[in-house]
Every structure is written in C-alpha cells, then in structure tokens.
C-alpha cells in the first residue's frame, strides 16, 4: 500500500476519523559543497523523491499527540511541556520526537501559534543515511503547523526555523543546507545556494545524466559530536587567520592562494579541516559554469576530488563509503562519485550516464556486496519539489 494510504488508515485506527490534511517534505542529496554551509559557502543539493509524510487534524486537546509509525511509538506534548523536553505526563520526550517538539519550540520563539494536532507520520527517507531524514521531519511539521496556525512563512523562513530547532533544541550545530533543500526543492533541478546571502537559483541536470544514490547500509555513530567538533575547528581556523586577515568572517572569505600562504600558522588538524573547506568552496565556485556548459565530465571530476578531500582532510568518511566510491569510479558511465551528507556512513551520490545507469547500479551492488559482505540499497533518484500540503 502506498505510504500516504497507509498513514490515512493508521490515522483512522488511532484517532477514529480520517485526517483533515496530509503534508509531504522530501529528503535531499548533495552533489557538491560538503561541510561548507556553516562556513558561508555554496552548496548544490537537490530534493529527492523520498519524503516524510504526516496525516493530521486539529484537536481541542491541550497537547499534540504524534504517532511515529516507523518507531511504533507515541508522544504527547504541549507548548508548556516542550520547554522542559517532557511529555504531557512529565516523562521525557523520546529521541525521535525532539524534531517535531523542537519545531514547536522554534515556532513559539518566533511568536507563531502552534495549535494542537493529532498526527501520524512516517518516512521513506532512510534514517542516518546522509539524506536528511531529520530535516524532512522538521519541514513536514513546520508545514503542518502552518496549515493549522493561520500564518504563512516563505519556504526559506521555514528552513531557518527548522535549522534553529535542530541547533538549539536538538543540539546539532548544522548549517542551512538540508532544511533549505527540503523546503525549496524544485522538480528536475539542482539547487545552488549561497549560504551567506541565502540567494539561490536552480540549475537543470542534462537529461542524459542520472543521479544514483547508493546506501552502504552502514549507519553513522556519534555523529553529532564529531559534526560539532568539525564546525568548532573551522571557527578556530577563522580566529587564527584573523590575526593576519582581520576582515575575514568565515572561511568563505579566504582564497586558496591566501590560505596556502598562511596555512603554516595553523595547527595540523585545524589546517586540514580548513583546507578542505577553502578548496571545496573553490570547487563549488566552478560548478555553476561547468553545469551550464554541460561539462559533466569536469563536474564529476570535482565530485571525485571532493570525496578525497572529505576522506583525507576533513576525515569524515569510513571504509565502506570509500569502497563504494572506489568501485563506482571504476565503472563505465560514471562521471563522478562521492559520499553525500555529513559522513561516517550512509550514502554515496553518483552521476552516471543515463543509458548506463541500470547496469552501473547492478554492478555496483554486486561488487560492493562481494567486497564488504554488506547488502547495499541502490536507486536511481529524481530531483523532486519541496515540502507541500497535499490535502
Ligand atoms: C549535515 C548538516 C548540513 C551540512 C552537511 C554537510 O547534513 O545538517 O547542514 O553541514 O551535514 O555538508
């Protein structure tokens, strides 16, 4: 049964009626610009055809009640209880509910009303796989409360509130990329975002090129700690470089040449992290012209370089991601392959000649399984539209 119909059925079994509304918010895949959004850089994601769906109705109860189908668990919280991360009965909020509760909190902080709802939700974005399942949950709940709350925010403002929920409520110091892509996705287009000005445009991908997502089936562990450490290293680099370049505010403001001149002043680990960011931002600056000229070969080469840099300088890859990328790059029709998202496990993204995409996917799965004894999931993805009210 399609996910939406299943949710409507479960909603009815749980709350005794059909849901008034259904929203959808997609996950994302990022093609280039990894770990640069929180350095004011440029990113090039696309929303994907996997999403979180919520079936919901308003209720007169004092609290919202959510059933997470993927966890087979419920949580109830009110505007008062979210402030202490507790449920209506004073028990702690389960981990999965921190995302919707964080969204409620961020909306309240913005002075927006958050009427109580009964909701059933589920996602076909794999969790912890680098495809932004959490941002898709946040963007879906933002839209759900917008539907009931009598206010309307532009998609970018919703993205910023989702990021605030994740930074200040969940405690992951993420950038804006994931929530942006989920909120602003456009069918069949890549999104090029300037994470400083928040200006963005869309770029078409040539018809004869496919985005293939390959899930290593390895899941990230302890990522929020590692993630926050990487961000702290970038901030340390900016502070040290400001001694020579007082005008810089972020690693975005330093060219590769300037960085090479001053890199010796940074301690080795901070230097590696900052070098990745400075060079990755330079790669993303080249991307737009390459894509517009249809130079997929050269763009793919930048993706390959990005993977090496994430592996060796930013040190956020893992053996399974490296194996998946190495195999992909050796296969016919592959323009570029790298891991996508925060790292430490999850998925790779591959740009592949469409006529070879099926063969490529099959060979990649077989060889990865032979090498690692792990069973990967590989699918040809499609750039989709952003979060929307379906009913
Ligand atoms: C996670 C974060 C994003 C971004 C990526 C790495 O997905 O949520 O903001 O930093 O990692 O590029």
């Amino acid at each position: 049964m399609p996910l939406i119909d299943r949710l409507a059925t479960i909603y009815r079994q749980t709350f005794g009626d059909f849901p008034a509304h259904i929203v959808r918010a997609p996950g994302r895949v990022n093609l280039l610009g990894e770990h640069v959004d929180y350095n004011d850089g440029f990113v090039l994601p696309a929303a994907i055809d996997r999403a979180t769906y919520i079936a919901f109705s308003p209720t007169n109860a004092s609290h919202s009640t959510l059933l997470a189908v993927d966890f087979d668990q419920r949580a109830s919280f009110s505007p008062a209880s979210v402030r202490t991360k507790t449920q209506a009965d004073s028990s702690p909020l389960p981990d999965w509910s921190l995302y919707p509760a964080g969204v409620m909190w961020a909306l309240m902080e913005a002075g927006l009303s958050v009427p109580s709802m009964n909701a059933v939700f589920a996602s076909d974005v794999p969790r912890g796989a680098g495809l932004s399942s959490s941002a898709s949950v946040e963007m879906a709940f933002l839209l759900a409360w917008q539907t009931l709350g009598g206010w309307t925010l532009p998609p970018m403002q919703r993205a910023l509130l989702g990021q605030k929920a994740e930074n200040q409520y969940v405690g992951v110091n993420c950038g804006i990329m994931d929530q942006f892509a989920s909120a602003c996705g456009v069918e069949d287009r890549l999104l090029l975002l300037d994470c400083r000005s928040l200006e963005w445009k869309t770029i078409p991908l040539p018809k004869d090129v496919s985005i293939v997502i390959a899930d290593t089936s390895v899941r990230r562990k302890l990522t929020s700690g590692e993630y926050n450490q990487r961000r702290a290293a970038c901030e340390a680099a900016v502070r040290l470089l400001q001694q020579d370049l007082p005008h810089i505010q972020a690693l975005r403001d330093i060219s590769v040449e300037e960085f090479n001149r001053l890199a010796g002043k940074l301690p080795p680990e901070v230097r590696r992290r900052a070098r990745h960011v400075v060079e990755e931002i330079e790669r993303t600056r080249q991307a737009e012209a390459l894509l517009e000229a249809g130079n997929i070969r050269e763009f793919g080469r930048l993706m390959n370089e990005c993977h090496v840099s994430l592996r060796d300088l930013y040190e956020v890859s893992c053996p399974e991601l490296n194996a998946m990328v190495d195999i992909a790059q050796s296969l016919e029709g592959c323009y570029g392959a790298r891991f996508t998202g925060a790292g430490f496990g999850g998925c790779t993204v591959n740009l592949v000649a469409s006529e070879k995409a099926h063969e490529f996917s099959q060979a990649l799965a077989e060889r990865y399984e032979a090498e690692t004894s792990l069973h990967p999931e590989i699918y040809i993805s499609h750039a989709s539209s952003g979060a929307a009210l379906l009913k």
Side-chain angles (χ1 to χ4, degrees):
M1 198 193 303
L3 196 47
I4 299 188
D5 299 337
R6 238 183 91 214
L7 283 184
T9 307
I10 299 174
Y11 186 94
R12 189 152 177 242
Q13 289 161 354
T14 312
F15 298 110
D17 204 351
F18 283 106
H21 303 288
I22 294 183
V23 289
R24 167 191 183 273
R28 65 99 190 92
V29 65
N30 185 26
L31 271 79
L32 201 66
E34 212 66 270
H35 285 283
V36 300
D37 58 351
Y38 51 84
N39 291 293
D40 282 359
F42 304 87
V43 292
L44 193 66
I48 55 173
D49 42 10
R50 299 211 169 188
T52 297
Y53 297 85
I54 314 175
F56 63 102
S57 299
T59 167
N60 291 327
S62 59
H63 47 267
S64 290
T65 297
L66 276 41
L67 171 66
V69 174
D70 300 332
F71 298 91
D72 197 17
Q73 272 184 26
R74 274 190 202 216
S76 289
F77 50 81
S78 66
S81 79
V82 290
R83 296 207 180 273
T84 50
K85 296 196 176 157
T86 54
Q87 303 203 54
D89 67 1
S90 302
S91 63
L93 285 170
D95 283 352
W96 60 263
S97 70
L98 290 175
Y99 299 96
V103 165
M104 180 188 258
W105 170 84
L107 290 170
M108 283 158 39
E109 291 283 293
L112 296 164
S113 82
V114 279
S116 297
M117 67 167 94
N118 289 328
V120 169
F121 77 103
S123 186
D124 60 9
V125 185
R127 267 189 310 279
L131 300 178
S132 299
S133 59
S134 20
S136 77
V137 170
E138 290 155 7
M139 290 305 100
F141 275 97
L142 254 145
L143 212 51
W145 270 304
Q146 169 168 300
T147 307
L148 302 181
W151 44 264
T152 306
L153 289 179
M156 185 64 89
Q157 294 304 317
R158 295 201 301 268
L160 286 164
L161 284 175
Q163 183 196 14
K164 180 171 176 175
E166 185 132 353
N167 289 173
Q168 296 182 31
Y169 196 87
V170 181
V172 179
N173 229 348
C174 66
I176 188 63
M177 169 169 71
D178 305 350
Q179 290 80 7
F180 155 74
S182 181
C184 299
V186 179
E187 185 94 12
D188 288 331
R189 314 283 281 197
L190 304 177
L191 314 169
L192 178 62
L193 171 69
D194 177 338
C195 299
R196 171 168 280 169
S197 68
L198 299 185
E199 277 166 22
W200 61 281
K201 61 190 289 193
T202 70
I203 305 183
L205 198 60
K207 289 252 172 310
D208 53 357
V209 178
S210 296
I211 300 174
V212 179
I213 294 178
D215 189 342
T216 58
S217 82
V218 173
R219 288 296 172 254
R220 318 186 294 219
K221 285 175 228 100
L222 301 172
T223 38
S224 58
E226 292 277 358
Y227 185 91
N228 291 348
Q229 278 170 25
R230 294 302 182 283
R231 186 166 181 162
C234 295
E235 287 161 4
V238 172
R239 279 195 301 276
L240 290 166
L241 293 165
Q242 275 170 342
Q243 292 167 3
D244 291 274
L245 304 169
H247 65 280
I248 68 167
Q249 285 169 22
L251 288 175
R252 144 92 171 255
D253 298 318
I254 180 164
S255 68
V256 175
E257 293 70 34
E258 270 174 326
F259 183 79
N260 286 339
R261 185 164 63 77
L262 296 170
K265 302 198 172 186
L266 301 177
E269 186 179 301
V270 170
R271 190 190 315 154
R272 287 197 301 280
R273 307 294 186 251
R275 179 176 293 286
H276 162 74
V277 172
V278 171
E279 293 178 351
E280 179 75 350
I281 291 176
E282 175 54 31
R283 281 187 283 274
T284 56
R285 286 183 200 273
Q286 296 168 25
E288 183 179 354
L290 290 174
L291 287 170
E292 263 158 18
N295 193 346
I296 300 299
R297 209 163 283 286
E298 190 55 24
F299 178 78
R301 206 183 55 72
L302 296 181
M303 290 175 68
N304 295 344
E305 276 183 22
C306 168
H307 184 79
V308 171
S309 178
L310 290 165
R311 185 190 69 196
D312 298 345
L313 297 177
Y314 221 61
E315 297 176 279
V316 286
S317 191
C318 68
E320 295 83 0
L321 285 170
N322 296 338
M324 190 74 96
V325 163
D326 287 347
I327 298 166
Q329 290 176 354
S330 76
L331 294 173
E332 219 186 313
C334 179
Y335 294 110
R338 53 176 288 261
F339 84 69
T340 190
F344 304 105
C347 293
T348 68
V349 56
N350 307 269
L351 271 195
V352 183
S354 296
E355 50 171 22
K356 299 273 182 202
H358 283 283
E359 248 172 89
F360 168 88
S361 306
Q362 214 170 353
L364 183 57
E366 279 165 17
R367 287 192 38 196
Y368 177 79
E369 192 159 350
E371 232 172 80
T372 61
S373 304
L374 293 167
H375 186 66
E377 195 201 349
I378 299 186
Y379 49 98
I380 300 171
S381 184
H382 173 89
S384 92
S385 53
L389 180 66
L390 303 184
K391 175 186 154 187

